[in-house]
């Protein structure tokens, strides 16, 4: 049915007709609307939707723009705004001569299930077993985290996690546990970000998740340790550097602590300095604490030798000039250096 902009044309004398499938028409206001869509609508839009449902529940009725405004106690402009809002949410379809109320249950059913032309018996059995396992986990999630009442948006989100990321049911449960531990079950946003992180790390099974969490906890432990050692609150960039030490360089806390020790005595120790030290070790192929300590010991010894050579060269330069003067006089055994002549003597000459 063709839609039009109710803001421009207003609401003509329309016939409101029911568009519900009889099979699913058990309530004038679907629970799907109450739990998932009503919180997103304005008050006037909710009023309009409830009014349209109440009218269509008893068959088609004629209604004008002013009729709706009078019944709801709002302006005719507010009616236009509300119907436009309901259209954007796909709750109604405004045609040239009527308004159709969308069958939300049928729409949801079509989104969830796709007809399959044919399947092998083994594929059917495998799919049924998988669906039963998923269904048990979804029911457990519903009872554990939502007291038996889980909104439809969560069902959609769970299906997407199963299909897009290939998570095992136990991983989905752990995802809800993580969100609940952080009091973030008010919406799917937080859980979805966690799911993306797990998927990016290659997590699909519960065993893989256990390995991921062990690594995750170890990272957090190292980050807290570094912040304590450097006596500072770590920024987002600091945390990225630390993750580079662990993930890219492959260093554990023992080697990182060895690098942190080099900041001892610094008034403002920096992450950048520690990163430079660890990068040098990484590029040198140092993978164990023993190799690191041997490398640093040799480098300190080399630096000590270089300093001694520099000091010796500086001292030798002074000794060499004095030696030249002694060598010049050694031929006669006397002090043959030229005596100093005052400037007065040069100008006036000796007294006669």
């Amino acid at each position: 049915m063709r839609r039009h902009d109710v803001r421009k044309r207003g609401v003509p004398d329309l016939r409101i007709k029911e568009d519900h499938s009889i099979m699913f028409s058990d309530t004038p206001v679907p629970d799907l609307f109450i739990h998932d869509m009503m919180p997103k609508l304005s008050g006037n839009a909710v009023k309009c939707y409830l009014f349209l449902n109440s009218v269509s529940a008893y068959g088609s009725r004629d209604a004008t723009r002013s009729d709706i405004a009078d019944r709801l106690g709002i302006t005719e402009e507010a009616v236009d705004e509300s119907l436009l809002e309901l259209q954007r949410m796909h709750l109604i379809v405004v045609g040239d001569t009527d308004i159709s109320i969308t069958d939300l249950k049928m729409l949801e059913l079509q989104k969830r299930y796709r007809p399959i032309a044919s399947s092998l018996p083994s594929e059917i059995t495998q799919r049924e077993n998988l669906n039963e396992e998923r269904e048990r986990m979804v029911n457990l999630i519903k009872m554990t985290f939502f007291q038996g009442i889980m909104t439809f948006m969560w069902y959609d989100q769970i299906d997407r996690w199963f299909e897009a990321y290939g998570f095992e049911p136990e991983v989905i449960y752990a995802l809800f546990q993580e969100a609940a531990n952080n009091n973030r079950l008010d919406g799917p946003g937080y859980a979805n970000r966690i799911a993306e992180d797990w998927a990016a790390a290659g997590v699909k099974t519960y065993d893989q998740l256990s390995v991921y969490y062990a690594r995750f906890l170890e990272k957090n432990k190292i980050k807290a340790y570094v912040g304590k050692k450097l006596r500072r609150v770590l920024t987002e960039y600091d945390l990225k550097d630390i993750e580079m030490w662990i993930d890219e360089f492959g260093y554990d806390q023992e080697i990182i602590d060895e690098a942190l020790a080099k900041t001892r005595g610094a008034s403002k120790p920096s992450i950048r300095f520690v990163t430079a030290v660890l990068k040098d070790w990484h590029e040198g192929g140092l993978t164990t604490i023993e190799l690191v300590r041997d490398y640093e010991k040799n480098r300190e010894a080399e630096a000590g030798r270089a300093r001694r050579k520099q000091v010796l060269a500086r001292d030798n330069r002074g000794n060499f000039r004095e030696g030249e003067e002694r060598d010049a006089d050694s031929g006669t055994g006397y002090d043959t250096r030229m005596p100093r002549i005052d400037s007065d003597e040069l100008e006036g000459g000796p007294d006669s």
Side-chain angles (χ1 to χ4, degrees), residues 100-117:
S100 297
I101 300 175
T102 305
D103 187 347
L104 296 180
K105 293 182 179 180
M106 181 60 71
L107 188 64
E108 188 68 20
L109 189 64
Q110 290 171 349
K111 287 196 307 183
R112 287 176 175 275
Y113 300 100
R114 298 186 302 273
I116 300 176

Side-chain angles (χ1 to χ4, degrees), residues 116 118-131:
I116 300 176
S118 62
S119 298
L120 296 174
S122 59
E123 293 177 346
I124 295 174
T125 302
Q126 182 180 5
R127 189 163 54 246
E128 288 178 349
N129 292 337
L130 180 61
N131 288 337

Side-chain angles (χ1 to χ4, degrees), residues 11-12 14 16 44 47-49 51-52 55 62-76 78-80 82-83 99:
V11 180
L14 301 178
I16 303 170
N44 286 337
K47 287 181 181 180
C48 279
Y49 185 76
F51 174 75
L52 295 176
V55 172
D62 292 330
T64 65
R65 181 168 174 255
S66 59
D67 289 338
I68 299 175
D70 291 340
R71 291 291 299 272
L72 299 180
I74 59 178
T75 64
E76 295 182 5
V79 172
D80 289 342
S82 299
L83 293 178
I99 297 176

Side-chain angles (χ1 to χ4, degrees), residues 208-329:
Q208 291 171 337
L209 180 61
S210 299
V211 174
Y212 171 85
Y213 253 103
R215 187 72 170 166
F216 177 79
L217 294 175
E218 181 65 22
K219 282 185 182 180
N220 284 348
K221 178 182 175 183
I222 291 175
K223 290 174 184 177
Y225 180 79
V226 171
K228 181 179 179 181
K229 282 290 185 178
L230 297 182
R231 306 182 301 279
R232 58 180 289 178
V233 177
L234 300 178
T235 66
E236 180 181 353
Y237 301 104
D238 294 338
L239 296 176
K240 287 182 178 179
D241 271 11
I242 296 173
E243 289 185 357
M244 179 176 65
W245 304 347
I246 301 169
D247 296 332
E248 185 176 335
F249 297 165
Y251 288 145
D252 57 13
Q253 182 171 326
E254 188 177 22
I255 294 181
I256 291 173
D257 189 49
E258 193 75 13
L260 290 171
K262 287 184 166 293
T263 66
R264 189 180 295 115
S267 58
K268 293 184 178 180
S270 69
I271 289 286
R272 182 179 299 179
F273 173 78
V274 180
T275 298
V277 172
L278 291 171
K279 184 178 180 181
D280 178 55
W281 294 349
H282 175 67
E283 291 177 349
L286 310 180
T287 56
T288 65
I289 189 64
E290 291 78 18
L291 291 174
V292 166
R293 287 172 177 169
D294 288 343
Y295 173 80
E296 286 298 314
K297 183 178 179 180
N298 293 335
R299 191 164 76 165
E300 289 177 5
E302 184 65 28
R305 286 193 293 269
R307 285 193 298 270
R308 286 194 295 273
K309 286 181 179 179
Q310 187 177 9
V311 172
L312 184 60
R314 186 169 58 249
D315 293 342
N316 285 341
R317 283 197 298 271
N319 293 336
F320 182 71
R321 286 195 297 271
E322 293 177 2
E324 284 184 325
E325 294 172 351
R326 286 195 298 270
D327 289 342
D329 300 334

Side-chain angles (χ1 to χ4, degrees), residues 165 167 175 190-203 209 212 216:
Y165 302 141
F167 289 155
L175 185 59
Y190 178 81
N192 195 46
R193 289 193 296 272
I194 298 297
E196 290 173 355
D197 290 342
W198 291 359
V203 172
L209 180 61
Y212 171 85
F216 177 79

